[in-house]
Amino acid sequence: MGAMDALISTGAHNATTAPFIGAGGLASLLPQVQTVEVLVAVSIFVAIHSLRQRRSLGLPSWPVVGMLPSLLLGVRGDMYEWITGVLKARGGTFTFCGPWFTNLHCVVTADPRNLEHLLKTKFGNFPKGPYFRDTVRDLLGDGIFGADDEVWRQQRKAASLEFHSAEFRALTASSLVELVHRRLLPVLAETEAAGAAVDLQDVLLRLTFDNVCMIAFGADPGCLQKGLPEIPFARAFEDATEATIVRFVTPTAVWRGMRALGVGHERVLRRSLAGVDEFAYDVIRKRREELAAAAATGHEEAAGGLRRADLLTIFTKMRGADGAPAYSDKFLRDICVNFILAGRDTSSVALAWFFWLLSKNRGVEAKILQEVEGIVAARGRCGEVEEELVFQPEEVKRMEYLHAALSEALRLYPSVPVDHKEVVEDEVFPDGTVLKKGTKVIYAMYSMGRMESIWGEDCREYRPERWLKDGRFMGESAYKFTAFNGGPRLCLGKDFAYYQMKFAAASILRRYRVDVVQGHPVAPKLALTLFMKHGLKVTLAKRDDKAKLRTTSASSGVPQVVVCSLQ
């Protein structure tokens, strides 16, 4: 009985004290529960506050990370359309607040008034700036693309004189005829005969790369050959450009650390730059030897009996006050690499988008063919062999509708979709946006082509007629149509680019109908230039004489333009 009493007594005691032990446990948990509630409340408050800022700032701005989450979501889709949507909602200009301690803070604008202000009116207050220059220096060095002040002016003046010389114009025309008729058209003919699909963007890129290398270096890399071989210099240049682009979306401290360690995209950049430099310095060495030999014999012509008018030769010939060469090999390398970058992608990318737009707007294609056939008919020559028909410079100049169609393609798909400036001193844009010293300014050319306030309600339609008045091409303000920049930095190669595109486009269209492969995805790539992410896979169909005759005779019955809404 004693044991039983003890057991009952113990059980009673435990039953009595158990509630008090549970209460103590809950009491000890109370501070943790309160902490969680406070954190949840603060999180909800921060989220509501950040989301409310969308009204005043255009995007939610979160503590520490700023607007980075929105940017990351934009990058996952179509980055340029995302920027366009934000700019339209903000009336053409908005301030992007990047994460703390990063270089992603900037003002983004698509307002023509602001562009005229920064590109012309206050040009000196908006240089490329040290951030841009430091980011691209490994690839571009001190070349014109990233240079400012006296370094830029010196190169600009020398290049401008060269671009307007008769020798240079003759070089560009002859090299283009050689490339189009001896390389491009045979490659397309082989593709058409095989009934195969080809990446037209790649073919056009090879065309413009060979062309610009001839103009810059006076050297032919031979990218556009039958079989489309891979050229080490071209591959190295492509890889170096892509690795440099990655730096713009990577915090400066991070990519500099990666460069020091030689890892990631910085390792790719280092390796590819070695390939670029090997080609460039070899050409420069040979050119110096060539010119020295020509000078020793008293002949102005270069070795081989050819008088050179390429940029490398012109800059190599320049002398300082003491008679010594004006430029080092490093500087010559920078000059040529910059012009290759400027001329390699821009025309080829524009042509790729142009052919894609034509595949969706056959009425525009019909009008271009009518114009081209009219120019050919005006020659009055019978029995001319089709394969040998070469458009003359004055004929290319008369292709007004083709000029308008290319300009319309550039309006919607500018080769350089965005560009960058940096503010030297405190400034205020015409639209009232306040800019502090050191602010980065991004002007979005892609978005400008999709602004109803600039181009009207049909801004997303491909309509070349908007550029024509009484059948003649009429240009727009460089601050409304910014595909070739504006102000003192207006593209030196604008006239050549149009000539190159018109000559190539007319030569292709007169011989072939270009059809985009059904189901081929077309989307812009996030890069310095507006590449198609997946290329442009097309098939070719040879045009017969009957089709050309129908086009020529359709003076009043040309099909109406098929309008395509571009999303």
Side-chain angles (χ1 to χ4, degrees), residues 430-469:
D431 69 356
T433 303
V434 177
L435 306 170
K436 295 296 182 181
K437 178 181 178 180
T439 299
K440 298 175 186 66
V441 179
I442 306 295
Y443 50 106
M445 285 85 86
Y446 180 96
S447 299
M448 291 183 72
R450 289 158 173 75
M451 292 288 178
E452 294 182 5
S453 58
I454 300 175
W455 294 99
E457 293 183 359
D458 64 349
C459 60
R460 286 181 175 267
E461 296 174 4
Y462 180 62
R463 194 171 64 83
E465 284 74 13
R466 77 175 77 241
W467 296 88
L468 298 171
K469 184 176 182 180

Side-chain angles (χ1 to χ4, degrees), residues 131-152:
Y131 167 71
F132 183 88
R133 193 160 51 250
D134 292 345
T135 304
V136 303
R137 187 183 296 278
D138 287 340
L139 174 61
L140 301 181
D142 297 314
I144 193 171
F145 200 76
D148 285 316
D149 303 323
E150 189 56 36
V151 175
W152 169 78

Side-chain angles (χ1 to χ4, degrees), residues 21-210:
I21 292 173
L26 289 174
S28 65
L29 291 174
L30 186 59
Q32 299 178 34
V33 173
Q34 291 175 333
T35 301
V36 172
E37 289 178 343
V38 170
L39 289 174
V40 170
V42 170
S43 299
I44 293 173
F45 173 78
V46 169
I48 293 173
H49 176 71
S50 298
L51 292 171
R52 279 180 175 174
Q53 286 185 313
R54 183 193 297 269
R55 296 180 181 177
S56 59
L57 300 179
L59 291 171
S61 184
W62 306 88
V64 183
V65 297
M67 296 176 177
L68 183 61
S70 297
L71 176 62
L72 294 176
L73 289 174
V75 171
R76 289 182 62 186
D78 188 331
M79 177 72 167
Y80 304 113
E81 284 294 339
W82 175 76
I83 293 174
T84 300
V86 177
L87 283 168
K88 289 181 70 174
R90 299 299 300 159
T93 303
F94 81 98
T95 300
F96 181 85
C97 303
W100 293 353
F101 312 115
T102 70
N103 48 29
L104 294 179
H105 302 276
C106 60
V107 170
V108 186
T109 187
D111 190 321
R113 297 171 300 168
N114 294 345
L115 262 69
E116 184 171 6
H117 189 79
L118 71 90
L119 293 177
K120 185 182 77 171
T121 309
K122 292 294 187 70
F123 171 75
N125 203 22
F126 292 92
K128 287 285 187 177
Y131 167 71
F132 183 88
R133 193 160 51 250
D134 292 345
T135 304
V136 303
R137 187 183 296 278
D138 287 340
L139 174 61
L140 301 181
D142 297 314
I144 193 171
F145 200 76
D148 285 316
D149 303 323
E150 189 56 36
V151 175
W152 169 78
R153 277 189 286 271
Q154 187 181 24
Q155 294 183 59
R156 173 85 181 190
K157 181 179 179 181
S160 181
L161 291 172
E162 175 61 13
F163 268 65
H164 291 91
S165 70
E167 292 85 357
F168 181 81
R169 290 180 181 274
L171 169 66
T172 56
S174 61
S175 64
L176 192 56
V177 169
E178 170 69 22
L179 286 170
V180 169
H181 286 269
R182 299 291 174 265
R183 299 190 191 178
L184 174 64
L185 293 178
V187 165
L188 297 182
E190 189 176 64
T191 301
E192 185 274 333
V198 67
D199 183 352
L200 187 59
Q201 179 175 255
D202 176 60
V203 171
L204 293 169
L205 183 60
R206 290 168 179 270
L207 168 71
T208 56
F209 188 72
D210 281 355

Side-chain angles (χ1 to χ4, degrees), residues 533-560:
K533 186 184 298 184
H534 309 287
L536 184 64
K537 292 286 186 181
V538 304
T539 56
L540 303 168
K542 187 178 292 186
R543 296 191 192 277
D544 57 30
D545 293 334
K546 291 181 179 179
K548 291 177 184 176
L549 184 61
R550 286 195 299 270
T551 302
T552 307
S553 62
S555 57
S556 60
V558 178
Q560 294 298 309

